[in-house]
Amino acid sequence: MATRAAPPRPVRIVLAKVGLDGHDRGVKVVARALRDAGYEVIYTGLRQTPAMVVDAALQEDAQAIGLSLHSGAHMTLIPAVLEELRRRQATDILVFAGGIIPDEDIAELKRMGVAEIFTPGAPLQGIVEWLRERFPEVES
Amino acid sequence: MLRSRAHEEWEQAYEASPRRDDGLETSTLSGQELAPLYTVEDLPEGVEGEYPGRYPYLRGIHPGGYRGKLWTMRQFSGFASAAETNRRYKYLLENGQTGLSVAFDMPTLMGLDSDHPESRGEIGYCGVAIDSLADMDRLFEGIPLDRVSTSMTINSPAAILLCMYLAVAERQGVPFSRLEGTLQNDILKEFIAQKEFVFPPGPSMRLVVDSIEFCTREVPRWNTVSISGYHIREAGSTAVQELAFTLADGFAYVDACLERGLKIDDFAPRLSFFFDAHIDFFEEIAKFRAARRLWARHLRERYGATSERSWKLRFHTQTAGVSLTAQQPEINVARTAIEALAAVLGGTQSLHTNAMDEVLALPTDRAARIALRTQQVIAYETGVANTVDPLGGSYLVESLTRRMEEEAERYFQRIEELGGVIPAIEAGFMQREIADAAFRHQQELEQRRRIMVGVNEFTQGNEEDTIELLRIRPELEEEQIERVREVRRRRDRGRAERALEQVRKAAADPKENLMPHILEAVRAYCTEGEIMAAMEEVFGRYTETPVI
C-alpha cells in the first residue's frame, strides 16, 4: 500500500518576454504546453526588464524562468537576468531560454549559466522532457 | 446539380483505389477540408462573368494583369546604421530592385531613442536605427526621392517617421506631391498580433486618421496605411483569420476616417494591403482572390464608394517567415520560391521574398541577392506573367476562394457582435483565435500530422546546416548613442523645445491635426523618442492583458 505523502509543491515557472520585441507566438505555445504538462505557468507578458522578470520569479516563488526573445538582444538581456539573480541571491532558480539564437551565442550563454536554449523547430515534447528531468515530481 | 456519369464512375474508382497510409492531414494548412477532386460542379455561381479590371476584381485589378506592369520587387531591408543600410539600398537598386522598403530596429519601432536604457542590446539588430532627421537624411543620401518609391514598416511612431521622410524630401527639393510610397501605419494589427503598440487604441487611431487626412491633402500619391495580415498570420492565424481580421481592420480605418468627416473616395484609394504568402499554395492564391472581391463589395455596397479606385484592393506580399527552418536553411530558397509563385498567381502588386537565412539573422548580401533573383526567375523565366489570373476557372481555386469569402463574412459578423474591432481586441477575441490556431498547428507538427522538412522529418543533413550569418558590429551601439547625443548638442535648443511644446498642445486638442506639428518638430531635430514622449504625456501608455 502506498504511503500517504503530502501533495508535492507545484512547480512554478515564470515565462517572460524580455526586451522590446513583441513576437509572443512561441512563448504562448510553450506556456500552454507546460501548463498541460502539469506546471504552474506565470506568463509575464511583453517588454519585461531583467529586474521585472526576477521580481516576478521571487514573488511567485518560481523554480524556473523561461525567457523568450527574437530581437537579437539575447547577449545583452539574458546575462542581465543572470546578473540580477546573482544580485538577489536567487541563483537556485533555473534559467532556460528560447528564440532565434545562433550556435556560438548558445555556447557562451551556457557558460554564463543558462541551463538550456531551445531554438526554432524545437519540439514542445523536448522542452517538457527536459524539464521533467529537472522536476521529476511534476505529473501531468 | 446532377452528377455526371463520368463523375460517378470516377467516384467508384476512387473508393476502390488504394490510399496512402501515412497519417498526414489532407486539409489545407489552415485546416480547411479538401475533397480529393474538384469538378465543374464545384464552380461557384457567376464565376464565368468575372473579368480582370472589372468590379469586383476577383481576377485582378488591372485588365492586363502583369502584361501592363510586373509587380514591384521590394525587398524589406535595414540593419545597423543609416550609412550601412544606405549602402545595402544602393546595392539592391543596382541589382534590379524596383522599390525600397525600410526595416527599422526595435527601439525605433517602439519610439525609443538609441540612448534610452531599454534600447540596450537592440540597436541596429532588427533593422536600421533612426533617431532623428540626421539619420534619415543619411539613409537616403544619394537616392533621389522623386525616383524611388519607399515603403516604411513602422506603426506606433509612423507619423514621426513619415514626417522625417517628408523633411528629407524638402532638403532634396522634391515636392511632397511627387513622393510615392507606403507607410505601414496599421496600429490595429499591432494590438492583435505584432504587439508593437505604445499608446492606447483611441489616440493611436487618431494618429492614423491624422496622417491619412494630412496625406490626402498634401502627399496625394502616398499610400497612407498598409493594412496588414502578414503579422496576424505569422503570429499563428489561419488563412481565413488573416483575411478576415485584416479586412475588418480596413473597415475600422474607413469608419474612423468617415467619422472625421473625410469623404470615402478621397482617402479609400490610398489604403493598401499587405498579406502573407504561406506554403499551402492553393489556399494562399484563393485568399488573395477572395480579399479583392470582399473589399470591392464592402466598399461599394456598404460604404457607397463610387470611385473604382476605392474598390480596388492593392496589396504587397511577403513570403512566410514562419514557414522557414533553421535546419538546412538552403531549403528555404525552395519554400520561398513556391510562396512567391502563389503571390504572383494571386495577383500581388509588390513582393518581398525572404532570404534563406532570415530564420537565423538579418540577411547577408548574398542571401538577399538570391531572394531577389528568385523573383526574377518567376518574372522572366517561368512565363506565369504572360496571362492574367491563370488559375481563374480552376475548380479547386474558385471553390476555395468562395469558401474563404463566406468564412471571412462570418468573422466580420462575430466582430460586429462584439461591438467592432477595438472592443473585440480589448476582449482578446482575435488574440485568442490566433493563439488557438498556433497551438493547433504546433500539435499537428508534434504528432507528425504535418511535416516540416528538416524539422520533424528528413533531418539527415541537419548537422551541416551552418551558413554564413550577418553579425552587427558591436561598436555600433556606442556610435549610434553618440550620434543622437551629438544631434541634441548641435540643434537650436529653443526651436526644438518650442516645437515639442506645440506637439504636446496639439495632442491635447483632438480637433487639431498633429502632422504639421510633428513635421516642425522633426525639422527642428527633435528626436523620435522626444516626440513620442511629448505625445505620451497626453495619450498615456497601453499595456495588454496577455491571452494564453
Side-chain angles (χ1 to χ4, degrees):
Chain A
M1 206 175 109
T3 46
R4 220 179 141 87
R9 191 167 71 110
V11 172
R12 289 194 176 160
I13 299 179
V14 164
L15 292 182
K17 286 284 301 172
V18 280
L20 297 177
D21 87 274
H23 301 97
D24 58 4
R25 173 180 182 162
V27 71
K28 285 159 81 166
V29 166
V30 170
R32 284 197 193 192
L34 296 188
R35 207 174 51 192
D36 292 350
Y39 295 90
E40 276 193 28
V41 175
I42 298 108
Y43 171 49
T44 61
L46 302 171
R47 305 206 172 88
Q48 302 291 301
T49 63
M52 288 158 83
V53 174
V54 173
D55 277 348
L58 291 175
Q59 272 166 26
E60 300 286 351
D61 199 14
Q63 282 112 302
I65 295 175
L67 301 169
S68 163
L69 65 179
H70 295 277
S71 66
H74 48 270
M75 293 310 283
T76 304
L77 294 171
I78 296 178
V81 171
L82 297 173
E83 179 53 38
E84 188 67 19
L85 284 170
R86 266 192 296 276
R87 208 177 62 77
R88 313 273 292 264
Q89 288 159 3
T91 48
D92 56 319
I93 299 177
L94 183 79
V95 176
F96 63 104
I100 299 177
I101 301 177
D103 288 345
E104 59 239 64
D105 293 348
I106 291 177
E108 180 65 23
L109 289 167
K110 283 191 173 172
R111 261 196 301 281
M112 291 176 182
V114 176
E116 192 53 274
I117 291 176
F118 299 95
T119 52
L124 292 173
Q125 204 45 43
I127 303 174
V128 168
E129 275 161 23
W130 179 82
L131 279 168
R132 183 149 297 146
E133 282 174 24
R134 269 127 203 104
F135 302 107
E137 68 272 30
V138 175
E139 284 172 22
S140 54
Chain B
M1 192 192 268
L2 272 180
R3 294 225 145 163
S4 70
R5 175 132 176 246
H7 193 146
E8 274 169 15
E9 283 173 7
W10 166 79
E11 204 160 65
Q12 284 163 12
Y14 174 76
E15 290 303 332
S17 64
R19 298 291 142 74
R20 252 167 43 215
D21 187 20
D22 51 15
L24 296 179
E25 292 291 331
T26 52
S27 59
T28 68
L29 184 65
S30 301
Q32 301 194 74
E33 291 306 322
L34 287 176
L37 181 76
Y38 287 79
T39 68
V40 68
E41 293 158 21
D42 299 294
L43 272 186
E45 219 173 296
V47 158
E48 61 288 346
E50 299 273 2
Y51 277 83
R54 274 168 56 106
Y55 179 87
Y57 310 104
L58 172 71
R59 306 198 59 189
I61 58 169
H62 299 302
Y66 297 126
R67 283 213 176 196
K69 180 177 176 286
L70 284 171
W71 63 93
T72 303
M73 298 180 191
R74 196 189 289 283
Q75 298 293 97
F76 183 45
S77 97
F79 60 99
S81 68
E84 282 153 280
T85 299
N86 176 269
R87 273 199 294 282
R88 173 68 67 85
Y89 288 168
K90 288 177 177 162
Y91 173 84
L92 287 167
L93 290 169
E94 282 159 17
N95 274 282
Q97 176 165 304
T98 48
L100 294 177
S101 176
V102 188
F104 298 101
D105 70 355
M106 281 308 314
T108 308
L109 292 170
M110 289 302 296
L112 300 174
D113 286 342
S114 295
D115 59 347
H116 190 284
E118 281 184 47
S119 301
R120 218 162 50 101
E122 313 251 16
I123 298 167
Y125 270 97
C126 290
V128 59
I130 301 290
D131 290 312
S132 73
L133 176 57
D135 294 325
M136 201 69 159
D137 227 5
R138 187 70 191 81
L139 186 65
F140 292 101
E141 196 177 279
I143 302 172
L145 298 192
D146 51 352
R147 301 237 207 94
V148 289
S149 72
T150 304
S151 167
M152 289 192 281
T153 296
I154 186 95
N155 295 283
S156 286
I160 302 171
L161 274 293
L162 173 60
C163 286
M164 287 186 191
Y165 191 80
L166 297 176
V168 172
E170 283 177 340
R171 293 161 64 92
Q172 290 190 0
V174 176
F176 293 174
S177 59
R178 290 184 61 189
L179 294 177
E180 283 186 34
T182 304
L183 194 64
Q184 193 162 84
N185 204 19
D186 172 13
I187 198 65
L188 292 171
K189 65 92 176 53
E190 296 299 335
F191 293 113
I192 294 173
Q194 189 173 235
K195 314 291 175 75
E196 286 160 11
F197 40 70
V198 174
F199 308 129
S204 296
M205 284 297 277
R206 174 200 166 178
L207 270 171
V208 174
V209 179
D210 278 1
S211 58
I212 294 174
E213 186 178 42
F214 179 86
C215 288
T216 302
R217 228 173 28 234
E218 311 277 341
V219 203
R221 286 155 78 180
W222 195 265
N223 296 313
T224 50
V225 188
S226 171
I227 307 158
S228 305
Y230 188 81
H231 320 80
I232 291 173
R233 190 67 180 283
E234 294 282 299
S237 85
T238 65
V240 167
Q241 288 164 355
E242 177 193 0
L243 174 67
F245 298 165
T246 309
L247 267 65
D249 287 349
F251 303 143
Y253 293 123
V254 169
D255 290 333
C257 289
L258 293 175
E259 213 169 295
R260 175 71 63 94
L262 303 182
K263 290 202 182 65
I264 184 99
D265 288 319
D266 289 345
F267 68 85
R270 283 291 155 196
L271 299 175
S272 63
F273 286 82
F274 171 24
F275 292 111
D276 197 296
H278 218 305
I279 194 74
D280 191 312
F281 192 67
F282 294 113
E283 180 171 57
E284 294 305 283
I285 296 168
K287 177 185 76 186
F288 301 128
R289 302 172 85 248
R292 271 194 300 267
R293 243 167 70 112
L294 281 165
W295 185 251
R297 283 251 158 86
H298 280 260
L299 265 282
R300 181 165 152 171
E301 288 166 20
R302 175 161 145 208
Y303 291 107
T306 54
S307 162
E308 286 187 19
R309 293 172 56 235
S310 301
W311 305 336
K312 290 178 185 173
L313 177 142
R314 298 167 300 134
F315 68 102
H316 172 70
T317 307
Q318 179 169 340
T319 56
V322 287
S323 72
L324 305 187
T325 60
Q327 296 75 10
Q328 306 184 53
E330 284 98 337
I331 312 171
N332 293 331
V333 177
R335 294 190 176 101
T336 297
I338 292 164
E339 293 164 359
L341 183 59
V344 168
L345 295 178
T348 194
Q349 272 62 57
S350 67
L351 180 60
H352 167 100
T353 33
N354 286 324
M356 59 182 168
D357 54 358
E358 280 182 70
V359 68
L360 299 159
L362 292 187
T364 60
D365 275 352
R366 179 169 175 272
R369 192 183 65 238
I370 292 171
L372 174 61
R373 295 285 181 256
T374 303
Q375 294 199 36
Q376 291 162 338
V377 168
I378 294 172
Y380 297 105
E381 295 185 9
T382 64
V384 298
N386 293 333
T387 41
V388 190
D389 187 33
L391 287 174
S394 149
Y395 306 137
L396 166 63
V397 171
E398 295 293 3
S399 154
L400 260 180
T401 304
R402 185 61 60 93
R403 220 157 91 193
M404 291 179 85
E405 272 179 61
E406 288 163 2
E407 286 180 32
E409 289 286 1
R410 276 197 283 280
Y411 266 120
F412 299 156
Q413 190 65 40
R414 286 174 74 181
I415 292 168
E416 195 77 12
E417 284 161 14
L418 289 164
V421 169
I422 291 177
I425 288 170
E426 285 166 344
F429 171 68
M430 290 87 132
Q431 298 93 311
R432 192 167 295 112
E433 290 284 305
I434 295 168
D436 287 348
F439 193 65
R440 213 161 42 232
H441 178 66
Q442 187 61 36
Q443 284 182 315
E444 289 171 351
L445 290 174
E446 303 271 328
Q447 295 159 0
R448 283 192 74 270
R449 288 189 285 134
R450 291 194 195 273
I451 299 296
M452 268 181 105
V453 173
V455 173
N456 61 356
E457 187 63 274
F458 312 116
T459 54
Q460 300 89 331
N462 282 6
E463 59 288 350
E464 312 162 14
D465 64 6
T466 44
I467 55 171
E468 181 205 352
L469 292 184
L470 181 88
R471 303 294 293 206
I472 302 299
R473 294 180 298 112
E475 318 82 75
L476 173 84
E477 185 153 322
E478 286 313 311
E479 290 169 15
Q480 186 63 27
I481 289 173
E482 184 41 39
R483 247 192 307 274
V484 63
R485 292 188 171 151
E486 175 76 10
V487 164
R488 288 204 204 95
R489 276 195 296 273
R490 292 183 53 177
R491 69 188 176 192
D492 174 343
R493 237 169 90 185
R495 183 181 174 194
E497 278 168 16
R498 282 192 302 279
L500 286 176
E501 187 47 38
Q502 275 307 313
V503 168
R504 229 172 268 128
K505 267 197 199 154
D509 178 0
K511 290 210 170 60
E512 190 70 20
N513 189 311
L514 271 157
M515 287 293 291
H517 306 286
I518 295 173
L519 183 56
E520 173 51 25
V522 161
R523 288 184 190 122
Y525 288 91
C526 296
T527 62
E528 187 205 26
E530 291 168 337
I531 301 171
M532 287 297 280
M535 291 194 281
E536 193 184 326
E537 281 176 39
V538 179
F539 293 159
R541 206 175 179 86
Y542 182 77
T543 47
E544 72 162 3
T545 313
V547 175
I548 294 179

